[in-house]
Amino acid sequence: MSALDLVVVLLGVVALGATVAMVLVSVRMHRATQEVERSVRELDDVRERFEAEAAAALEELHLTVLRAGHQVDEVEALVDVANAIGERVDTATGATYRALTSPVIKTVALASGTRRAARRLRPGHDDR
C-alpha cells in the first residue's frame, strides 16, 4: 500500500468518524428540539388556562367594584339624610330653647316674687 492509499484510507476513516459525530450531534439536537417543543406546548397550555382564570377573576373583580361603588353611594345618601336630620334637630332644639327659656324664667321670677310678697304680707314677719 502506497502512501497515497494510506492517506485516502485515513481520510476515509476521519470522514466516517466525522459523519458518525455529526449523526450523534444531529440526534441529540433533534431530541433537544423535541423537548423544547414539548415545553413550549406545556407553557402554551398553562398560558391559556391562566388567561381563562384571569379573565374570570377580572370579571368578578369588576362586578365587586361596581357593587362596592353602589354601596358607597347608598352610604353617602344615608349620611346626607343623617346630616339633614341632625340639622333639623339642632334647629328644633334652638327654637324650643328660645321659646321656653324666656317664659320659664319669667314664671320662676314671678313665683319667687309672689312668694316674697306673701311672706311680707303675713303677720309676724320681720322685714329684713
Side-chain angles (χ1 to χ4, degrees), residues 72-116:
V72 166
D73 291 342
E74 289 176 357
V75 168
E76 245 178 24
L78 289 174
V79 168
D80 289 343
V81 167
N83 283 336
I85 290 171
E87 289 173 6
R88 287 185 184 141
V89 167
D90 288 345
T91 302
T93 302
T96 303
Y97 178 77
R98 286 190 301 278
L100 294 179
T101 304
S102 180
V104 169
I105 290 173
K106 288 178 183 177
T107 303
V108 170
L110 178 65
S112 176
T114 305
R115 204 176 311 124
R116 266 188 264 145

Side-chain angles (χ1 to χ4, degrees), residues 52-68:
E53 291 174 12
L58 186 61
E59 181 64 26
E60 184 178 337
L61 179 63
H62 178 70
L63 292 175
T64 302
V65 167
L66 290 177
R67 280 193 301 261

Side-chain angles (χ1 to χ4, degrees), residues 15-86:
L16 184 62
T19 302
V20 168
M22 291 295 283
V23 167
L24 290 175
V25 168
S26 294
V27 168
R28 284 190 175 184
M29 290 288 285
H30 181 68
R31 286 182 187 161
T33 302
Q34 286 177 336
E35 185 70 25
V36 168
E37 287 175 349
R38 186 180 58 75
S39 296
V40 167
R41 281 192 303 272
E42 288 176 2
L43 284 174
D44 203 31
D45 291 342
V46 169
R47 180 193 51 82
E48 287 175 1
R49 284 194 310 262
F50 175 77
E51 284 177 354
E53 291 174 12
L58 186 61
E59 181 64 26
E60 184 178 337
L61 179 63
H62 178 70
L63 292 175
T64 302
V65 167
L66 290 177
R67 280 193 301 261
H70 181 67
Q71 290 174 353
V72 166
D73 291 342
E74 289 176 357
V75 168
E76 245 178 24
L78 289 174
V79 168
D80 289 343
V81 167
N83 283 336
I85 290 171

